[in-house]
Amino acid sequence: MKWFWRTLQALLALFVLLLLVATGGFFYSVHYIKTLPVEDPETPLTSWINSTEPVSPVAAPWEIAARQHQYAPLDIAQFIRPPLRFGPWTRWWWPGNLVTTDELQREMRLFAGVGIAGVEIQPFAISVSETDRDSVRWQQAGWDSPEFYEHLASVMMEARELGMGVDLNNGSGWPTGGPQVALEDGLRQLLHSERIVHGPSRVEFELSAPAMPAATFGAGALGMLGDIPMQTFVPDARKLVAVVAGRVTNNERSWQPWDFLDQVTLAPESLRVITDAVSDNRLVWDVPPGEWAITTLWQLPGGELIAGGYAHPKPGYVVDHLDARRMRANQDYLFREATGLSPYFGNPLRAFFNDSLEFRQERHWARGQLDEFENRAGYDPRPWLAALLEPGKDQMLFHAVNIRTAPEYALGDQGTRFLEDWDKVISDLFRERYFQTLKDWGAQRGLAHRLQAYGGPSDIIRAAGESDIPETEQLYAGGSEMFMKAVSSGAHIAKKPLVSAESFIFLGRAFMTTPVKIKALADKAFSAGVNQLIYHGTAYRIEGSAARGYPVVDGWYPWQLGLLSTDYSENWSYWEHAEQINRYIARCQYLLRKGEPDTDVLVLYPGLGFPQGYSNPAEPFDQGRFEGEEALTTDTADPAPGRGTKRMRSIWRETRSLEQQGLSWEWVNEHALSTATFDNGEIHAGGLRAGNLMLHDIDAVSPSVAEHIATLKKAGLPVRISGIAPHRQHGLLNSDEGDARVQHVFNDLPANISFISERTLFQHPQIKSVRRRLTDGGLIQFFSNPTAQATTLTLQLGPQYSQAVWLDAWEAKVTPIKTDNNGEVSIEIPAYGSIFLWMDTTQSIDFEPHSFEAVQTIPLENWSLQVAGADIQTAGALPGDWLLIPELRNSGGPGIYSTTFTAPADIEARREQGHDFELKLNQLFGAATVSLNGTQVGAALVPPYSVNLTAALKAGHNRLEVKLTPPRKNRLVSAIENSEPGWNAPDIVGTSARVSAGLVGPAQIIESAPTAH
């Protein structure tokens, strides 16, 4: 038995050692976070106010052009070949100041050459620390240097020459701030300490400082491990807010610091403020009978440092976004005279950009918070402050990984109502002190503010109207259409001409993005009301980057650790097809910026914010996942969705039912609804008009909005109530009276009613649609098919439209519409396909019609395939998905498919008669470039995967070659699994899921003859 005891002793010793290491690591991390050396700037932040000269507000050139286009007649020639300004933009990552003028200008010309209309410059650093000071990598930390602004000037001049636009990230990294921001100028947060006492008794004790929150420790430790300072914690800078006592009715407080669901229940009627019992930081209080929780509330600096790619040698605090004066001062510093940027304001410098509200605070706290709350909500918040306390409540890291939390104190329905009031006040403060302040600052200088106004308790819809160019994204909330529509609806209400989207970005899906995915994801954004796509993104090319320690596969690439993006640059496998893809996007954006939004149903938005961890597997392309793809470990499906996610999924099912009936919809918030009017059969809410209103699973509305809905209903507006009906008001003040007013309204309103549309009528289980109403009475409607199967769409056109055509943005084709006697028309939309319908009542639609019918099919068989030396012969159809072929499972290609066929002997005569010969590929994973008889004739990128062969076809024997470029993911995974030298391990792949690749048969050539008109 000696071996047993010796083994047990060894295991115990190992356990003790690990415990000591973990304990030591914990205390070292705490020490690191508390003592992080961040120096305050020599010049106070507020001294920079008005260091950039404001001018009289004028309409910026971009907005003038957008408005002119919006109301100008549709031009078929411009649709077919749209000007550069309608193309997508890209987020352009610079490695700080490790750039050269020659390379910057070369890349600008490269972008313009493939149809990219503008760039958002993001100076970005990857793990640069003091140890790099003597290396070339240190130049990454060169943002805000004179040399950096010289490089910016060279790009501005090149952009003018090319007719491109430029946006600037608001500083370096996000949220905005920098070395100009002192600790006192940074964000504030609310923390607490707690003591449980029993009465009747007298207690006397020193008020204890708040402990470091778990989220602060996590962020700070993460920064320490990554050598990127992320968080400081300065409890000595605390200021007392209040001391509150409440009688405990149930105490389930856990001793475990990682238990974020433990809770103490307090009797709401017992809450009292006992701050007057404090003197010299000591509390003396006579405790009533029972168990009581004494909560000391402190405000102190948030200590959040810019961590997102921050490219400066000195750590920089995030500026207080709830302080308008400091926000203005921050802007004046970032665009001060020394930057030399003012000559470019408006041309080509269009906007400054602020990313989403990614803050790392426990609870937001504004200067003057208590007075602001009382003035806005109408009552003293101090007795209820304990209701605010919840681990990581305003901490984006907690929400990003779906950490489940509960409030520290349960205060019943009254506590819930107080939280509604609190969140509304915080939302209004963000809107007024941040969004409006920066929009006004930019307007005085001819600059737009492009803004992602979400990520916290914000009225997303109203906030979208407080930026010049509201922006949504396809990463947040899994790229949900419900979320994207919240931003676009807010933009439409506020009559904004542009709605942008940070696009083609999903966690864990880098190196998997093919042209068909770009198109399908673009269509999803377009269907959600977006009309300006911004690639996320493009990395600057560093010569010899491998020798400088950057990944050898792609060179310098800022997301090598996070896998948040494909590098849409020359490194992208499909860059040779970028111009064709961008032409499609430009044609769509040309049309979707025409006229004004037109919809059938307004849906009341449920409250504030949007669940960040939201996912909905029933929604197309949830988190970027396509049909048949393997789920990833990085997918953020919430195993226990909260109320916000459950309600949003319920509303999605209801709106999906509307869409299947051919009805389009947009969100409306209470603020817009409160002033909406009903005229000529339509509700008008700002820039939105619709024929119907729906409330689904809305339990609370303000009494005045409820009564206004009743007024609109009486005027003739169809109102549908489904799911949970409103039965109470928001907020605490006069809640009994408010609840009664809400109940009085909705008890008298009918529930489910039928909605109708007088625009276009169709019913389809999958089709997505969005409409624009033209100023001349015409209509543009976009239809997209988000499935992997072709489908037929049948429409019944309204009798008021005398002329109608199909506009195919991928093929740049215009096709006349022929209806039957009932006014019906049908069209087949391919897998992941789309089509525009243009109907007009006045002007003549000029076009050259294109219409063909198939007359012959030539099957293609006996293929050979060569990939990296492997030669695969087949006796019939194509060999299929490479994932199923052992020799090709790990290949990065390209693969060359070849075959021969015999064409008709009278091919010349058929060509003269206008016959077309088109190659049809059944399915492909990647991109296919097609050559016939040694001549490249085109590319098959999206379904129906067809290429016209007519010009290169010859009578008799023909040789066909198809070069298939697969996604790079499988090759990278294989290299990492096999530890191949020269490949940068999990840095650049992260997940081991492979994807389909190759051509899947059958393949054929279809001869078509023109039909007579």
Side-chain angles (χ1 to χ4, degrees):
M1 294 290 292
K2 287 183 179 180
W3 65 269
F4 173 79
W5 292 112
R6 287 176 179 174
T7 302
L8 183 60
Q9 288 173 346
L11 290 174
L12 286 173
L14 179 61
F15 173 76
V16 171
L17 178 62
L18 292 174
L19 184 61
L20 289 172
V21 169
T23 303
F26 170 78
F27 284 108
Y28 178 78
S29 298
V30 170
H31 174 75
Y32 169 86
I33 297 166
K34 286 186 174 183
T35 61
L36 202 64
V38 182
E39 299 178 2
D40 281 348
E42 295 180 1
T43 304
L45 178 64
T46 52
S47 68
W48 292 103
I49 290 179
N50 293 331
S51 59
T52 58
E53 289 294 328
V55 297
S56 299
V58 294
W62 73 269
E63 186 172 8
I64 293 172
R67 298 290 185 192
Q68 289 175 342
H69 171 75
Q70 188 175 3
Y71 300 113
L74 194 154
D75 185 328
I76 286 292
Q78 282 206 338
F79 160 72
I80 292 173
R81 194 166 185 83
L84 178 62
R85 64 189 178 93
F86 295 102
W89 285 44
T90 192
R91 178 170 292 176
W92 192 15
W93 296 300
W94 291 13
N97 194 42
L98 186 56
V99 296
T100 69
T101 296
D102 288 346
E103 178 60 21
L104 291 171
Q105 293 179 340
R106 184 194 73 84
E107 292 187 24
M108 287 288 286
R109 293 190 292 272
L110 186 75
F111 297 151
V114 297
I116 290 176
V119 293
E120 172 211 312
I121 297 173
Q122 171 72 264
F124 208 103
I126 304 174
S127 302
V128 178
S129 65
E130 285 291 331
T131 59
D132 298 306
R133 183 174 286 276
D134 296 327
S135 73
V136 70
R137 288 169 65 98
W138 185 250
Q139 292 180 44
Q140 275 196 70
W143 165 72
D144 205 29
S145 65
E147 295 79 13
F148 174 80
Y149 293 114
E150 289 174 8
H151 287 133
L152 271 185
S154 71
V155 168
M156 298 293 176
M157 290 185 287
E158 190 68 24
R160 280 182 177 171
E161 290 289 324
L162 297 168
M164 294 177 66
V166 178
D167 289 354
L168 288 183
N169 185 67
N170 207 33
S172 175
W174 67 95
T176 187
Q180 71 278 8
V181 179
L183 177 68
E184 178 59 25
D185 299 317
L187 294 157
R188 314 292 296 175
Q189 64 179 335
L190 182 70
L191 297 180
H192 79 290
S193 55
E194 175 190 78
R195 179 170 290 202
I196 303 294
V197 298
H198 295 80
S201 65
R202 167 167 285 201
V203 295
E204 181 176 351
F205 58 85
E206 193 92 13
L207 298 182
S208 58
M212 182 183 296
T216 298
F217 172 79
L222 184 65
M224 180 186 70
L225 294 173
D227 200 16
I228 305 172
M230 292 179 65
Q231 199 86 27
T232 63
F233 183 64
V234 190
D236 291 344
R238 67 189 182 276
K239 296 178 182 178
L240 182 63
V241 173
V243 182
V244 180
R247 182 168 51 81
V248 176
T249 60
N250 187 31
N251 189 342
E252 297 183 355
R253 182 72 74 227
S254 170
W255 63 269
Q256 301 172 359
W258 53 85
D259 185 349
F260 302 129
L261 297 172
D262 63 332
Q263 199 169 64
V264 172
T265 303
L266 303 179
E269 70 280 1
S270 73
L271 295 173
R272 60 197 67 185
V273 179
I274 59 173
T275 313
D276 290 345
V278 177
S279 178
D280 294 330
N281 204 48
R282 289 190 66 80
L283 174 73
V284 180
W285 184 54
D286 292 324
V287 184
E291 183 180 17
W292 290 76
I294 299 176
T295 306
T296 306
L297 297 116
W298 306 94
Q299 60 137 319
L300 66 162
E304 181 176 351
L305 295 162
I306 305 173
Y310 181 62
H312 195 279
K314 293 182 179 180
Y317 283 112
V318 173
V319 71
D320 189 349
H321 287 55
L322 293 172
D323 187 309
R325 186 163 177 263
R326 286 175 166 85
M327 288 300 290
R328 284 194 298 270
N330 187 66
Q331 288 304 109
D332 282 321
Y333 173 84
L334 294 175
F335 292 88
R336 64 196 184 279
E337 184 179 349
T339 65
L341 291 171
S342 59
Y344 306 106
F345 287 179
N347 179 25
L349 183 52
R350 179 185 70 164
F352 54 92
F353 167 71
N354 279 292
D355 213 308
S356 54
L357 309 180
E358 298 180 17
F359 299 118
R360 300 190 296 276
Q361 315 301 306
E362 283 296 287
R363 263 297 190 179
H364 293 301
W365 187 266
R367 298 163 209 270
Q369 178 76 53
L370 295 178
D371 290 339
E372 286 288 351
F373 183 93
E374 189 162 0
N375 290 337
R376 294 165 187 262
Y379 63 93
D380 183 357
R382 289 176 299 168
W384 303 96
L385 290 177
L388 297 172
L389 304 172
E390 182 174 343
K393 180 61 177 177
D394 292 326
Q395 239 284 3
M396 58 84 57
L397 294 177
F398 264 42
H399 296 290
V401 295
N402 285 322
I403 293 178
R404 310 296 299 173
T405 64
E408 299 276 6
Y409 300 98
L411 297 173
D413 177 66
Q414 292 170 289
T416 299
R417 291 173 182 265
F418 166 72
L419 289 175
E420 290 174 343
D421 287 330
W422 184 271
D423 285 346
K424 184 180 186 306
V425 169
I426 290 293
S427 174
D428 287 344
L429 289 175
F430 268 119
R431 180 174 51 81
E432 296 166 12
R433 297 181 176 185
Y434 172 20
F435 308 151
Q436 286 181 357
T437 295
L438 265 60
K439 187 177 90 153
D440 293 345
W441 183 94
Q444 293 175 332
R445 292 157 179 84
L447 292 174
H449 184 200
R450 201 178 105 237
L451 172 67
Q452 297 178 352
Y454 47 83
S458 171
D459 183 340
I460 297 177
I461 293 175
R462 193 173 181 189
E466 296 299 342
S467 59
D468 300 290
I469 304 175
E471 180 158 299
T472 182
E473 63 178 272
Q474 291 186 317
L475 176 63
Y476 190 98
S480 167
E481 61 195 3
M482 307 295 283
F483 161 66
M484 289 194 286
K485 272 198 173 186
V487 175
S488 67
S489 297
H492 295 158
I493 289 169
K495 303 180 181 180
K496 303 295 179 179
L498 295 182
V499 184
S500 63
E502 177 185 304
S503 306
F504 319 125
I505 166 176
F506 298 96
L507 184 63
R509 298 190 183 274
F511 307 102
M512 302 165 67
T513 309
T514 59
V516 69
K517 289 187 177 182
I518 292 286
K519 182 187 182 301
L521 294 169
D523 289 348
K524 180 173 183 177
F526 294 148
S527 298
V530 171
N531 60 10
Q532 181 179 56
L533 299 179
I534 300 179
Y535 283 99
H536 186 288
T538 303
Y540 173 90
R541 190 188 71 168
I542 299 179
E543 289 287 350
S545 57
R548 300 181 180 186
Y550 299 114
V552 299
V553 177
D554 280 322
W556 182 82
Y557 176 52
W559 296 109
Q560 65 191 68
L561 297 176
L563 294 177
L564 294 176
S565 174
T566 293
D567 182 6
Y568 299 103
S569 71
E570 297 157 285
N571 292 319
W572 188 37
S573 300
Y574 308 108
W575 184 255
E576 64 178 299
H577 306 297
E579 183 177 6
Q580 185 174 352
I581 296 167
N582 293 336
R583 285 278 186 195
Y584 169 75
I585 293 173
R587 293 185 190 108
C588 292
Q589 294 183 163
Y590 172 85
L591 294 174
L592 293 171
R593 296 179 194 175
K594 284 289 184 190
E596 297 173 345
D598 184 71
T599 196
D600 297 310
V601 183
L602 295 185
V603 179
L604 184 60
Y605 192 83
L608 303 176
F610 194 97
Q612 184 171 346
Y614 176 83
S615 67
N616 182 5
E619 187 178 317
F621 319 127
D622 178 54
Q623 302 177 84
R625 186 180 180 186
F626 279 61
E627 288 184 43
E629 284 188 346
E630 181 180 342
L632 304 182
T633 55
T634 50
D635 288 347
T636 57
D638 191 345
R643 165 147 173 75
T645 293
K646 289 179 179 177
R647 179 163 61 177
M648 199 57 69
R649 289 177 180 174
S650 175
I651 297 174
W652 178 85
R653 288 189 291 271
E654 198 72 10
T655 56
R656 191 73 197 102
S657 175
L658 294 178
E659 292 170 347
Q660 290 170 344
Q661 299 169 53
L663 297 171
S664 59
W665 66 276
E666 297 213 31
W667 292 112
V668 65
N669 62 347
E670 287 194 29
H671 178 261
L673 192 55
S674 67
T675 57
T677 60
F678 187 74
D679 180 54
N680 197 28
E682 291 182 319
I683 180 175
H684 296 246
L688 276 179
R689 293 186 289 180
N692 309 275
L693 175 66
M694 184 176 82
L695 285 72
H696 179 77
D697 273 357
I698 302 293
D699 64 329
V701 296
S702 68
S704 59
V705 169
E707 289 160 356
H708 191 59
I709 290 173
T711 300
L712 294 171
K713 173 71 172 62
K714 187 176 181 180
L717 174 67
V719 180
R720 177 190 292 180
I721 312 295
S722 58
I724 300 173
H727 55 273
R728 66 177 187 88
Q729 71 163 29
H730 299 295
L732 183 58
L733 189 66
N734 301 325
S735 57
D736 289 342
E737 176 191 341
D739 291 354
R741 289 169 61 189
V742 171
Q743 292 164 15
H744 175 74
V745 168
F746 288 100
N747 286 342
D748 293 338
L749 283 179
N752 290 303
I753 62 171
S754 297
F755 288 154
I756 60 172
S757 170
E758 296 182 357
R759 305 286 185 262
T760 59
L761 296 179
F762 72 99
Q763 292 187 355
H764 199 283
Q766 286 94 27
I767 290 294
K768 297 287 185 178
S769 176
V770 67
R771 286 200 309 267
R772 304 283 296 185
R773 188 191 315 221
L774 304 180
T775 54
D776 58 8
L779 204 69
I780 294 173
Q781 188 153 5
F782 175 71
F783 301 96
S784 66
N785 173 14
T787 73
Q789 296 79 37
T791 189
T792 298
L793 172 66
T794 299
L795 299 171
Q796 184 168 10
L797 305 185
Q800 69 271 39
Y801 301 108
S802 56
Q803 303 178 76
V805 295
W806 296 118
L807 303 176
D808 186 332
W810 184 264
E811 297 289 346
K813 287 184 178 179
V814 182
T815 306
I817 288 179
K818 291 183 178 180
T819 61
D820 61 17
N821 293 332
N822 297 318
E824 285 192 346
V825 59
S826 295
I827 189 171
E828 181 176 282
I829 303 180
Y832 306 127
S834 60
I835 196 74
F836 281 90
L837 170 66
W838 176 26
M839 299 185 293
D840 197 76
T841 58
T842 57
Q843 75 175 56
S844 174
I845 300 176
D846 296 322
F847 56 87
E848 293 184 12
H850 301 275
S851 185
F852 292 82
E853 60 182 4
V855 295
Q856 181 186 192
T857 298
I858 304 173
L860 299 174
E861 299 177 339
N862 301 318
W863 290 88
S864 66
L865 169 60
Q866 189 170 18
V867 183
D871 195 7
I872 299 176
Q873 303 287 337
T874 62
L878 293 160
D881 189 343
W882 292 9
L883 274 182
L884 307 178
I885 303 173
E887 304 96 309
L888 301 179
R889 175 176 168 78
N890 297 320
S891 177
I896 306 298
Y897 295 81
S898 58
T899 189
T900 59
F901 65 93
T902 301
D906 60 345
I907 189 66
E908 287 299 333
R910 300 190 188 200
R911 253 197 296 257
E912 290 176 2
Q913 295 168 8
H915 286 220
D916 263 359
F917 293 81
E918 199 161 37
L919 171 66
K920 294 277 190 179
L921 302 171
N922 177 52
Q923 189 174 27
L924 64 85
F925 301 100
T929 302
V930 178
S931 298
L932 182 62
N933 301 317
T935 300
Q936 186 171 315
V937 291
L941 306 179
V942 303
Y945 300 119
S946 59
V947 175
N948 195 300
L949 306 178
T950 308
L953 199 64
K954 63 182 184 181
H957 182 82
N958 287 263
R959 179 174 177 80
L960 180 71
E961 284 192 352
V962 179
K963 183 182 81 170
L964 187 287
T965 304
R968 295 174 57 203
K969 183 68 182 292
N970 299 347
R971 178 68 185 97
L972 296 175
V973 171
S974 173
I976 289 166
E977 288 179 347
N978 295 305
S979 301
E980 295 184 26
W983 295 76
N984 281 15
D987 280 6
I988 53 174
V989 178
T991 62
S992 59
R994 288 173 170 80
V995 294
S996 292
L999 298 181
V1000 177
Q1004 56 192 353
I1005 296 172
I1006 298 177
E1007 180 185 358
S1008 300
T1011 57
H1013 292 280

